[in-house]
Amino acid sequence: MSLSPHAADGTAPATPLPTIPSVDRVLNLPSVRALTETYGRAVTTAAVRQWLAELRERLAGNLALPADAFAEIKLAEMLEQRLAAARQPHLRQVLNLTGTVLHTNLGRARLPDEAVAAVVMAASQSCNLEYDLASGTRGDRDELIEPLLCEITGAEAATVVNNNAAAVFLALNSLGLRKQVIVSRGELVEIGGAFRVPDIMARAGCRLKEVGTTNRTHLKDFAEAIDAKTALLLKVHTSNYAIQGFTATVEEAALAQLAHKHNLPFMVDLGSGTLVNLRDFGLPQEPTPMDSLVAGADLVTFSGDKLLGGPQAGILVGRRDLIARIKKNPLKRALRVDKMTLAALEAVLQLYRDPDRLAARLPTLRLLTRAVADIERTAQTLLPAMGAALAGVAQVEVRACHSQIGSGSLPIDRLPSFCLALTPVVRGKGEGTALKKIEHAFRNLPVPVIGRVSEGAFCMDLRCLEQADMLQSQLGSLRF
Ligand SMILES: *Cc1c(COP(=O)(O)O)cnc(C)c1O
């Protein structure tokens, strides 16, 4: 069947210009009707309208119509391509082969199966989010996970908000509104994506009092800054940079003592914060909320989706009276977490109760502790297929490299790893373009592959690729 302009009445057209068929006529073609079943009437009709409008525009501009513009099969194919493209989700799975395990732009922590199951339950069913099953009365969503957080961190009380930026903001606003907060100048950091300590402080309504210098701050700097206007002392973990050399920072314990001498709370923004001793897992040390609490901190804030390996969340743990003040702040309601976050967080925290199996079950820790020999094996497994797929385009080799933890944690520590390095066969002029083409081809795979360019090669760090097949099965779709 065809929509040739002659078809309607069988007579030859008076002018050589084709007539544009009506929307209804196109929609009534059997193969277009089939599309309606798959994609729905509304979007299929819109796609037909759009196509006919394009044809009209071409005719108005005296442009030739595409070949076979009215052939049913061609038409249905073209419509289906457009409909399928529009139905592609915009949030898609990618393979993070950047070598940065907790990559903020790629979604940070991947949730364990236990957390995914909990999210599915909370999302698809009714749940006791704010309902006390024992008494049959209204409950508090925080109470669902507060006991677990207290058990794991040893804190008196805990609460959760949307992310750690919100946690810091809420704590400052609750405890330091119109008052002064003292911070070391060396800790006035910017954390990727516009979290700047001085800005957050200003928006929270606190006056920032910087003490010390960029590289050295002493206890007496803090002591001299305390006055009647002071609300709290703050320590910010400078997670994403390290100052080396002639440096001095004040220990948490000393700051806590000083704060308490003046009846002030001492707060620590840990940023990442891990709930286990990473040394036990062969990883570089990272401070824990437990360390800060033992040192005397009254309030500690940290992220849910950094080293903790859970959903995006900001966790506050500490003194009961301070947490109570924070929970009473009306902003708490504006920054609260949803049921899916709580479900995921509870499931992840449960895994921490069994540290022996944590590295196997929590993806973040599993990837960070993955044996380098295992990563190399994955690289060797993939090498022949990758070499064949890139023949004439790039030279492929297995190369030792270093992964990063990411999300600002441990900026100077690197984890030994292996990558597949793709060096374009074109050398000199055109090499940069060739490299961009390779990057682009991998980014355009059905499951986009994100690597990084290093030393003239496109490198895919295989630390976060646990199944070689997820990459290998796609190589046939590479288009350069
Ligand atoms: C990452 C980080 C934050 C922000 O945490 P989000 O969970 O990303 O909002 C705040 N402070 C420090 C020290 C951080 O490292």
Side-chain angles (χ1 to χ4, degrees), residues 126-175:
S126 296
C127 57
N128 61 329
L129 179 62
E130 291 185 351
Y131 184 81
D132 181 11
L133 286 172
S135 65
T137 56
R138 191 200 161 105
D140 174 352
R141 65 178 69 201
D142 274 356
E143 276 165 21
L144 297 169
I145 52 161
E146 188 173 15
L148 258 179
L149 280 169
C150 293
E151 178 193 321
I152 295 169
T153 63
E156 280 177 15
T159 185
V160 185
V161 288
N162 188 47
N163 55 28
N164 187 39
V168 174
F169 175 75
L170 181 64
L172 289 173
N173 182 268
S174 308
L175 309 179

mmCIF file of all heavy atoms in Angstrom, residues 126-175:
data_model
loop_
_atom_site.group_PDB
_atom_site.id
_atom_site.type_symbol
_atom_site.label_atom_id
_atom_site.label_comp_id
_atom_site.label_asym_id
_atom_site.label_seq_id
_atom_site.Cartn_x
_atom_site.Cartn_y
_atom_site.Cartn_z
ATOM 1 N N SER A 126 2.086 0.538 50.028
ATOM 2 C CA SER A 126 1.932 1.430 51.176
ATOM 3 C C SER A 126 2.894 0.956 52.251
ATOM 4 O O SER A 126 3.224 -0.233 52.320
ATOM 5 C CB SER A 126 0.506 1.357 51.717
ATOM 6 O OG SER A 126 -0.390 1.836 50.739
ATOM 7 N N CYS A 127 3.353 1.855 53.083
ATOM 8 C CA CYS A 127 4.305 1.456 54.121
ATOM 9 C C CYS A 127 4.124 2.340 55.352
ATOM 10 O O CYS A 127 3.501 3.392 55.280
ATOM 11 C CB CYS A 127 5.741 1.540 53.591
ATOM 12 S SG CYS A 127 6.175 3.169 52.967
ATOM 13 N N ASN A 128 4.689 1.914 56.471
ATOM 14 C CA ASN A 128 4.489 2.631 57.746
ATOM 15 C C ASN A 128 5.464 3.783 57.897
ATOM 16 O O ASN A 128 6.122 3.922 58.919
ATOM 17 C CB ASN A 128 4.622 1.651 58.925
ATOM 18 C CG ASN A 128 6.004 1.019 58.984
ATOM 19 O OD1 ASN A 128 6.638 0.821 57.954
ATOM 20 N ND2 ASN A 128 6.473 0.725 60.183
ATOM 21 N N LEU A 129 5.535 4.625 56.867
ATOM 22 C CA LEU A 129 6.506 5.725 56.852
ATOM 23 C C LEU A 129 6.392 6.614 58.090
ATOM 24 O O LEU A 129 7.389 6.950 58.718
ATOM 25 C CB LEU A 129 6.310 6.556 55.578
ATOM 26 C CG LEU A 129 7.231 7.755 55.399
ATOM 27 C CD1 LEU A 129 8.685 7.319 55.307
ATOM 28 C CD2 LEU A 129 6.841 8.550 54.156
ATOM 29 N N GLU A 130 5.164 6.984 58.418
ATOM 30 C CA GLU A 130 4.934 7.817 59.613
ATOM 31 C C GLU A 130 3.761 7.231 60.394
ATOM 32 O O GLU A 130 2.795 7.916 60.706
ATOM 33 C CB GLU A 130 4.648 9.271 59.212
ATOM 34 C CG GLU A 130 5.860 9.965 58.631
ATOM 35 C CD GLU A 130 5.630 11.433 58.339
ATOM 36 O OE1 GLU A 130 4.482 11.890 58.421
ATOM 37 O OE2 GLU A 130 6.619 12.121 57.996
ATOM 38 N N TYR A 131 3.848 5.958 60.646
ATOM 39 C CA TYR A 131 2.764 5.270 61.330
ATOM 40 C C TYR A 131 3.376 4.269 62.293
ATOM 41 O O TYR A 131 4.162 3.399 61.893
ATOM 42 C CB TYR A 131 1.874 4.564 60.298
ATOM 43 C CG TYR A 131 0.662 3.911 60.900
ATOM 44 C CD1 TYR A 131 -0.470 4.665 61.205
ATOM 45 C CD2 TYR A 131 0.640 2.541 61.159
ATOM 46 C CE1 TYR A 131 -1.586 4.061 61.759
ATOM 47 C CE2 TYR A 131 -0.476 1.941 61.712
ATOM 48 C CZ TYR A 131 -1.587 2.698 62.006
ATOM 49 O OH TYR A 131 -2.698 2.112 62.557
ATOM 50 N N ASP A 132 3.031 4.414 63.563
ATOM 51 C CA ASP A 132 3.582 3.526 64.571
ATOM 52 C C ASP A 132 2.729 2.267 64.631
ATOM 53 O O ASP A 132 1.587 2.286 65.111
ATOM 54 C CB ASP A 132 3.602 4.246 65.923
ATOM 55 C CG ASP A 132 4.202 3.360 67.008
ATOM 56 O OD1 ASP A 132 4.779 2.304 66.660
ATOM 57 O OD2 ASP A 132 4.076 3.712 68.192
ATOM 58 N N LEU A 133 3.291 1.154 64.153
ATOM 59 C CA LEU A 133 2.509 -0.084 64.071
ATOM 60 C C LEU A 133 2.150 -0.615 65.449
ATOM 61 O O LEU A 133 1.122 -1.280 65.614
ATOM 62 C CB LEU A 133 3.288 -1.135 63.275
ATOM 63 C CG LEU A 133 3.334 -0.878 61.760
ATOM 64 C CD1 LEU A 133 4.275 -1.861 61.083
ATOM 65 C CD2 LEU A 133 1.941 -0.960 61.150
ATOM 66 N N ALA A 134 2.967 -0.340 66.464
ATOM 67 C CA ALA A 134 2.686 -0.850 67.807
ATOM 68 C C ALA A 134 1.454 -0.168 68.400
ATOM 69 O O ALA A 134 0.570 -0.826 68.944
ATOM 70 C CB ALA A 134 3.903 -0.644 68.710
ATOM 71 N N SER A 135 1.377 1.153 68.294
ATOM 72 C CA SER A 135 0.283 1.871 68.951
ATOM 73 C C SER A 135 -0.850 2.222 67.998
ATOM 74 O O SER A 135 -1.929 2.610 68.424
ATOM 75 C CB SER A 135 0.821 3.165 69.573
ATOM 76 O OG SER A 135 1.284 4.027 68.540
ATOM 77 N N GLY A 136 -0.601 2.129 66.705
ATOM 78 C CA GLY A 136 -1.625 2.499 65.740
ATOM 79 C C GLY A 136 -1.806 4.005 65.637
ATOM 80 O O GLY A 136 -2.841 4.491 65.191
ATOM 81 N N THR A 137 -0.810 4.748 66.067
ATOM 82 C CA THR A 137 -0.889 6.218 65.980
ATOM 83 C C THR A 137 0.181 6.733 65.039
ATOM 84 O O THR A 137 1.024 5.980 64.550
ATOM 85 C CB THR A 137 -0.686 6.864 67.366
ATOM 86 O OG1 THR A 137 0.572 6.411 67.875
ATOM 87 C CG2 THR A 137 -1.795 6.474 68.322
ATOM 88 N N ARG A 138 0.147 8.053 64.850
ATOM 89 C CA ARG A 138 1.095 8.703 63.973
ATOM 90 C C ARG A 138 2.523 8.462 64.462
ATOM 91 O O ARG A 138 2.820 8.533 65.638
ATOM 92 C CB ARG A 138 0.782 10.202 63.964
ATOM 93 C CG ARG A 138 1.528 10.944 62.900
ATOM 94 C CD ARG A 138 1.608 12.421 63.202
ATOM 95 N NE ARG A 138 2.687 12.967 62.420
ATOM 96 C CZ ARG A 138 2.494 13.695 61.333
ATOM 97 N NH1 ARG A 138 1.293 14.028 60.959
ATOM 98 N NH2 ARG A 138 3.527 14.108 60.608
ATOM 99 N N GLY A 139 3.431 8.171 63.530
ATOM 100 C CA GLY A 139 4.831 7.954 63.902
ATOM 101 C C GLY A 139 5.738 9.004 63.284
ATOM 102 O O GLY A 139 5.259 9.920 62.627
ATOM 103 N N ASP A 140 7.026 8.854 63.527
ATOM 104 C CA ASP A 140 8.016 9.806 63.042
ATOM 105 C C ASP A 140 8.936 9.052 62.082
ATOM 106 O O ASP A 140 9.524 8.036 62.455
ATOM 107 C CB ASP A 140 8.794 10.334 64.257
ATOM 108 C CG ASP A 140 9.955 11.237 63.864
ATOM 109 O OD1 ASP A 140 10.266 11.344 62.658
ATOM 110 O OD2 ASP A 140 10.565 11.829 64.781
ATOM 111 N N ARG A 141 9.063 9.564 60.842
ATOM 112 C CA ARG A 141 9.863 8.816 59.865
ATOM 113 C C ARG A 141 11.316 8.639 60.306
ATOM 114 O O ARG A 141 11.967 7.668 59.957
ATOM 115 C CB ARG A 141 9.772 9.453 58.476
ATOM 116 C CG ARG A 141 10.371 10.836 58.358
ATOM 117 C CD ARG A 141 10.271 11.343 56.934
ATOM 118 N NE ARG A 141 8.890 11.631 56.558
ATOM 119 C CZ ARG A 141 8.463 11.702 55.297
ATOM 120 N NH1 ARG A 141 9.284 11.488 54.298
ATOM 121 N NH2 ARG A 141 7.215 11.990 55.024
ATOM 122 N N ASP A 142 11.825 9.586 61.093
ATOM 123 C CA ASP A 142 13.209 9.473 61.557
ATOM 124 C C ASP A 142 13.426 8.261 62.443
ATOM 125 O O ASP A 142 14.514 7.687 62.487
ATOM 126 C CB ASP A 142 13.587 10.719 62.362
ATOM 127 C CG ASP A 142 14.081 11.832 61.460
ATOM 128 O OD1 ASP A 142 14.185 11.594 60.244
ATOM 129 O OD2 ASP A 142 14.352 12.920 61.978
ATOM 130 N N GLU A 143 12.365 7.913 63.190
ATOM 131 C CA GLU A 143 12.529 6.820 64.152
ATOM 132 C C GLU A 143 12.765 5.471 63.473
ATOM 133 O O GLU A 143 13.204 4.521 64.105
ATOM 134 C CB GLU A 143 11.317 6.759 65.088
ATOM 135 C CG GLU A 143 11.498 7.736 66.233
ATOM 136 C CD GLU A 143 10.222 8.006 67.002
ATOM 137 O OE1 GLU A 143 9.298 7.178 66.935
ATOM 138 O OE2 GLU A 143 10.158 9.066 67.663
ATOM 139 N N LEU A 144 12.485 5.405 62.175
ATOM 140 C CA LEU A 144 12.712 4.149 61.455
ATOM 141 C C LEU A 144 14.192 3.787 61.420
ATOM 142 O O LEU A 144 14.546 2.613 61.418
ATOM 143 C CB LEU A 144 12.173 4.252 60.031
ATOM 144 C CG LEU A 144 10.667 4.475 59.879
ATOM 145 C CD1 LEU A 144 10.317 4.826 58.452
ATOM 146 C CD2 LEU A 144 9.912 3.222 60.314
ATOM 147 N N ILE A 145 15.051 4.799 61.359
ATOM 148 C CA ILE A 145 16.472 4.464 61.236
ATOM 149 C C ILE A 145 17.345 5.033 62.346
ATOM 150 O O ILE A 145 18.519 4.712 62.416
ATOM 151 C CB ILE A 145 17.060 4.899 59.883
ATOM 152 C CG1 ILE A 145 16.736 6.349 59.640
ATOM 153 C CG2 ILE A 145 16.589 4.033 58.746
ATOM 154 C CD1 ILE A 145 17.651 6.918 58.612
ATOM 155 N N GLU A 146 16.755 5.837 63.211
ATOM 156 C CA GLU A 146 17.568 6.432 64.278
ATOM 157 C C GLU A 146 18.249 5.365 65.153
ATOM 158 O O GLU A 146 19.453 5.472 65.421
ATOM 159 C CB GLU A 146 16.715 7.391 65.130
ATOM 160 C CG GLU A 146 17.567 8.174 66.110
ATOM 161 C CD GLU A 146 16.780 9.249 66.856
ATOM 162 O OE1 GLU A 146 15.533 9.202 66.830
ATOM 163 O OE2 GLU A 146 17.420 10.115 67.465
ATOM 164 N N PRO A 147 17.520 4.325 65.570
ATOM 165 C CA PRO A 147 18.190 3.332 66.423
ATOM 166 C C PRO A 147 19.391 2.681 65.732
ATOM 167 O O PRO A 147 20.432 2.462 66.357
ATOM 168 C CB PRO A 147 17.088 2.287 66.687
ATOM 169 C CG PRO A 147 15.801 3.011 66.437
ATOM 170 C CD PRO A 147 16.093 4.019 65.380
ATOM 171 N N LEU A 148 19.268 2.396 64.431
ATOM 172 C CA LEU A 148 20.379 1.779 63.701
ATOM 173 C C LEU A 148 21.580 2.724 63.640
ATOM 174 O O LEU A 148 22.725 2.309 63.855
ATOM 175 C CB LEU A 148 19.936 1.484 62.267
ATOM 176 C CG LEU A 148 19.567 0.053 61.906
ATOM 177 C CD1 LEU A 148 19.126 -0.014 60.457
ATOM 178 C CD2 LEU A 148 20.760 -0.872 62.132
ATOM 179 N N LEU A 149 21.296 3.993 63.340
ATOM 180 C CA LEU A 149 22.396 4.966 63.262
ATOM 181 C C LEU A 149 23.091 5.109 64.607
ATOM 182 O O LEU A 149 24.316 5.229 64.672
ATOM 183 C CB LEU A 149 21.871 6.324 62.788
ATOM 184 C CG LEU A 149 21.639 6.459 61.286
ATOM 185 C CD1 LEU A 149 20.870 7.730 60.965
ATOM 186 C CD2 LEU A 149 22.977 6.436 60.537
ATOM 187 N N CYS A 150 22.294 5.085 65.681
ATOM 188 C CA CYS A 150 22.878 5.204 67.012
ATOM 189 C C CYS A 150 23.682 3.960 67.366
ATOM 190 O O CYS A 150 24.773 4.048 67.924
ATOM 191 C CB CYS A 150 21.794 5.462 68.051
ATOM 192 S SG CYS A 150 21.024 7.077 67.856
ATOM 193 N N GLU A 151 23.151 2.802 67.012
ATOM 194 C CA GLU A 151 23.867 1.552 67.299
ATOM 195 C C GLU A 151 25.229 1.547 66.593
ATOM 196 O O GLU A 151 26.246 1.196 67.178
ATOM 197 C CB GLU A 151 23.034 0.349 66.822
ATOM 198 C CG GLU A 151 23.742 -0.988 67.038
ATOM 199 C CD GLU A 151 23.071 -2.141 66.294
ATOM 200 O OE1 GLU A 151 21.821 -2.176 66.245
ATOM 201 O OE2 GLU A 151 23.811 -3.006 65.762
ATOM 202 N N ILE A 152 25.238 1.947 65.328
ATOM 203 C CA ILE A 152 26.470 1.861 64.541
ATOM 204 C C ILE A 152 27.478 2.942 64.916
ATOM 205 O O ILE A 152 28.674 2.688 64.977
ATOM 206 C CB ILE A 152 26.138 1.911 63.035
ATOM 207 C CG1 ILE A 152 25.323 0.670 62.644
ATOM 208 C CG2 ILE A 152 27.399 1.988 62.186
ATOM 209 C CD1 ILE A 152 24.711 0.735 61.267
ATOM 210 N N THR A 153 26.986 4.165 65.197
ATOM 211 C CA THR A 153 27.937 5.258 65.456
ATOM 212 C C THR A 153 28.175 5.495 66.938
ATOM 213 O O THR A 153 29.099 6.213 67.291
ATOM 214 C CB THR A 153 27.434 6.590 64.859
ATOM 215 O OG1 THR A 153 26.198 6.953 65.509
ATOM 216 C CG2 THR A 153 27.206 6.485 63.362
ATOM 217 N N GLY A 154 27.332 4.933 67.784
ATOM 218 C CA GLY A 154 27.469 5.181 69.219
ATOM 219 C C GLY A 154 26.896 6.534 69.631
ATOM 220 O O GLY A 154 27.100 6.967 70.771
ATOM 221 N N ALA A 155 26.189 7.195 68.718
ATOM 222 C CA ALA A 155 25.629 8.511 69.033
ATOM 223 C C ALA A 155 24.367 8.367 69.883
ATOM 224 O O ALA A 155 23.727 7.326 69.886
ATOM 225 C CB ALA A 155 25.306 9.260 67.743
ATOM 226 N N GLU A 156 24.016 9.470 70.581
ATOM 227 C CA GLU A 156 22.786 9.484 71.381
ATOM 228 C C GLU A 156 21.555 9.588 70.516
ATOM 229 O O GLU A 156 20.498 9.043 70.817
ATOM 230 C CB GLU A 156 22.770 10.736 72.288
ATOM 231 C CG GLU A 156 23.583 10.641 73.535
ATOM 232 C CD GLU A 156 23.546 11.970 74.289
ATOM 233 O OE1 GLU A 156 22.690 12.852 74.018
ATOM 234 O OE2 GLU A 156 24.413 12.118 75.165
ATOM 235 N N ALA A 157 21.684 10.357 69.433
ATOM 236 C CA ALA A 157 20.524 10.636 68.580
ATOM 237 C C ALA A 157 20.986 10.862 67.154
ATOM 238 O O ALA A 157 22.178 11.090 66.901
ATOM 239 C CB ALA A 157 19.776 11.862 69.095
ATOM 240 N N ALA A 158 20.030 10.776 66.227
ATOM 241 C CA ALA A 158 20.388 10.928 64.811
ATOM 242 C C ALA A 158 19.175 11.378 64.020
ATOM 243 O O ALA A 158 18.032 11.137 64.415
ATOM 244 C CB ALA A 158 20.901 9.593 64.259
ATOM 245 N N THR A 159 19.432 12.049 62.905
ATOM 246 C CA THR A 159 18.356 12.371 61.978
ATOM 247 C C THR A 159 18.939 12.409 60.561
ATOM 248 O O THR A 159 20.168 12.361 60.395
ATOM 249 C CB THR A 159 17.650 13.701 62.356
ATOM 250 O OG1 THR A 159 16.542 13.899 61.494
ATOM 251 C CG2 THR A 159 18.586 14.880 62.235
ATOM 252 N N VAL A 160 18.049 12.455 59.576
ATOM 253 C CA VAL A 160 18.500 12.360 58.184
ATOM 254 C C VAL A 160 17.802 13.421 57.347
ATOM 255 O O VAL A 160 16.610 13.665 57.529
ATOM 256 C CB VAL A 160 18.161 10.969 57.590
ATOM 257 C CG1 VAL A 160 18.741 10.822 56.190
ATOM 258 C CG2 VAL A 160 18.687 9.867 58.468
ATOM 259 N N VAL A 161 18.538 14.045 56.432
ATOM 260 C CA VAL A 161 17.941 14.975 55.466
ATOM 261 C C VAL A 161 18.414 14.612 54.057
ATOM 262 O O VAL A 161 19.090 13.604 53.855
ATOM 263 C CB VAL A 161 18.278 16.448 55.801
ATOM 264 C CG1 VAL A 161 17.514 16.915 57.029
ATOM 265 C CG2 VAL A 161 19.770 16.639 55.977
ATOM 266 N N ASN A 162 18.055 15.468 53.117
ATOM 267 C CA ASN A 162 18.227 15.172 51.700
ATOM 268 C C ASN A 162 19.657 14.915 51.221
ATOM 269 O O ASN A 162 19.889 14.091 50.343
ATOM 270 C CB ASN A 162 17.615 16.341 50.907
ATOM 271 C CG ASN A 162 17.572 16.056 49.445
ATOM 272 O OD1 ASN A 162 17.155 14.978 49.043
ATOM 273 N ND2 ASN A 162 18.033 16.985 48.644
ATOM 274 N N ASN A 163 20.608 15.618 51.741
ATOM 275 C CA ASN A 163 22.019 15.355 51.423
ATOM 276 C C ASN A 163 22.868 16.047 52.482
ATOM 277 O O ASN A 163 22.344 16.720 53.363
ATOM 278 C CB ASN A 163 22.390 15.813 50.009
ATOM 279 C CG ASN A 163 22.049 17.277 49.763
ATOM 280 O OD1 ASN A 163 22.036 18.081 50.681
ATOM 281 N ND2 ASN A 163 21.762 17.602 48.527
ATOM 282 N N ASN A 164 24.177 15.879 52.392
ATOM 283 C CA ASN A 164 25.013 16.423 53.457
ATOM 284 C C ASN A 164 25.064 17.947 53.417
ATOM 285 O O ASN A 164 25.213 18.586 54.450
ATOM 286 C CB ASN A 164 26.419 15.818 53.377
ATOM 287 C CG ASN A 164 27.274 16.216 54.556
ATOM 288 O OD1 ASN A 164 26.771 16.286 55.676
ATOM 289 N ND2 ASN A 164 28.522 16.515 54.315
ATOM 290 N N ALA A 165 24.936 18.531 52.225
ATOM 291 C CA ALA A 165 24.891 19.990 52.141
ATOM 292 C C ALA A 165 23.693 20.495 52.958
ATOM 293 O O ALA A 165 23.803 21.471 53.704
ATOM 294 C CB ALA A 165 24.781 20.433 50.686
ATOM 295 N N ALA A 166 22.573 19.801 52.831
ATOM 296 C CA ALA A 166 21.373 20.159 53.586
ATOM 297 C C ALA A 166 21.600 19.940 55.086
ATOM 298 O O ALA A 166 21.123 20.720 55.912
ATOM 299 C CB ALA A 166 20.180 19.331 53.111
ATOM 300 N N ALA A 167 22.325 18.888 55.425
ATOM 301 C CA ALA A 167 22.589 18.591 56.839
ATOM 302 C C ALA A 167 23.397 19.721 57.477
ATOM 303 O O ALA A 167 23.075 20.187 58.576
ATOM 304 C CB ALA A 167 23.337 17.259 56.972
ATOM 305 N N VAL A 168 24.434 20.169 56.770
ATOM 306 C CA VAL A 168 25.274 21.250 57.292
ATOM 307 C C VAL A 168 24.446 22.528 57.399
ATOM 308 O O VAL A 168 24.475 23.232 58.415
ATOM 309 C CB VAL A 168 26.499 21.465 56.359
ATOM 310 C CG1 VAL A 168 27.304 22.684 56.804
ATOM 311 C CG2 VAL A 168 27.374 20.222 56.343
ATOM 312 N N PHE A 169 23.699 22.821 56.353
ATOM 313 C CA PHE A 169 22.863 24.019 56.308
ATOM 314 C C PHE A 169 21.862 24.039 57.465
ATOM 315 O O PHE A 169 21.729 25.019 58.184
ATOM 316 C CB PHE A 169 22.133 24.050 54.953
ATOM 317 C CG PHE A 169 21.144 25.165 54.822
ATOM 318 C CD1 PHE A 169 21.558 26.467 54.613
ATOM 319 C CD2 PHE A 169 19.783 24.899 54.902
ATOM 320 C CE1 PHE A 169 20.644 27.498 54.482
ATOM 321 C CE2 PHE A 169 18.857 25.927 54.782
ATOM 322 C CZ PHE A 169 19.283 27.229 54.579
ATOM 323 N N LEU A 170 21.200 22.905 57.631
ATOM 324 C CA LEU A 170 20.173 22.807 58.672
ATOM 325 C C LEU A 170 20.778 22.927 60.068
ATOM 326 O O LEU A 170 20.229 23.607 60.941
ATOM 327 C CB LEU A 170 19.425 21.475 58.522
ATOM 328 C CG LEU A 170 18.296 21.215 59.508
ATOM 329 C CD1 LEU A 170 17.169 22.224 59.348
ATOM 330 C CD2 LEU A 170 17.753 19.787 59.326
ATOM 331 N N ALA A 171 21.921 22.287 60.264
ATOM 332 C CA ALA A 171 22.561 22.341 61.579
ATOM 333 C C ALA A 171 22.999 23.771 61.893
ATOM 334 O O ALA A 171 22.772 24.272 63.002
ATOM 335 C CB ALA A 171 23.766 21.389 61.617
ATOM 336 N N LEU A 172 23.604 24.438 60.906
ATOM 337 C CA LEU A 172 24.061 25.811 61.141
ATOM 338 C C LEU A 172 22.884 26.726 61.426
ATOM 339 O O LEU A 172 22.917 27.555 62.326
ATOM 340 C CB LEU A 172 24.838 26.317 59.912
ATOM 341 C CG LEU A 172 26.213 25.684 59.686
ATOM 342 C CD1 LEU A 172 26.791 26.135 58.347
ATOM 343 C CD2 LEU A 172 27.159 26.048 60.819
ATOM 344 N N ASN A 173 21.812 26.559 60.637
ATOM 345 C CA ASN A 173 20.632 27.404 60.817
ATOM 346 C C ASN A 173 19.965 27.147 62.163
ATOM 347 O O ASN A 173 19.450 28.062 62.796
ATOM 348 C CB ASN A 173 19.657 27.171 59.658
ATOM 349 C CG ASN A 173 18.430 28.048 59.768
ATOM 350 O OD1 ASN A 173 17.428 27.634 60.338
ATOM 351 N ND2 ASN A 173 18.521 29.267 59.257
ATOM 352 N N SER A 174 19.981 25.896 62.610
ATOM 353 C CA SER A 174 19.315 25.549 63.864
ATOM 354 C C SER A 174 20.117 26.021 65.075
ATOM 355 O O SER A 174 19.542 26.398 66.088
ATOM 356 C CB SER A 174 19.121 24.032 63.977
ATOM 357 O OG SER A 174 18.494 23.519 62.833
ATOM 358 N N LEU A 175 21.436 25.968 64.971
ATOM 359 C CA LEU A 175 22.262 26.233 66.156
ATOM 360 C C LEU A 175 22.950 27.587 66.131
ATOM 361 O O LEU A 175 23.397 28.070 67.167
ATOM 362 C CB LEU A 175 23.334 25.131 66.309
ATOM 363 C CG LEU A 175 22.850 23.677 66.272
ATOM 364 C CD1 LEU A 175 24.012 22.720 66.413
ATOM 365 C CD2 LEU A 175 21.816 23.425 67.366
#
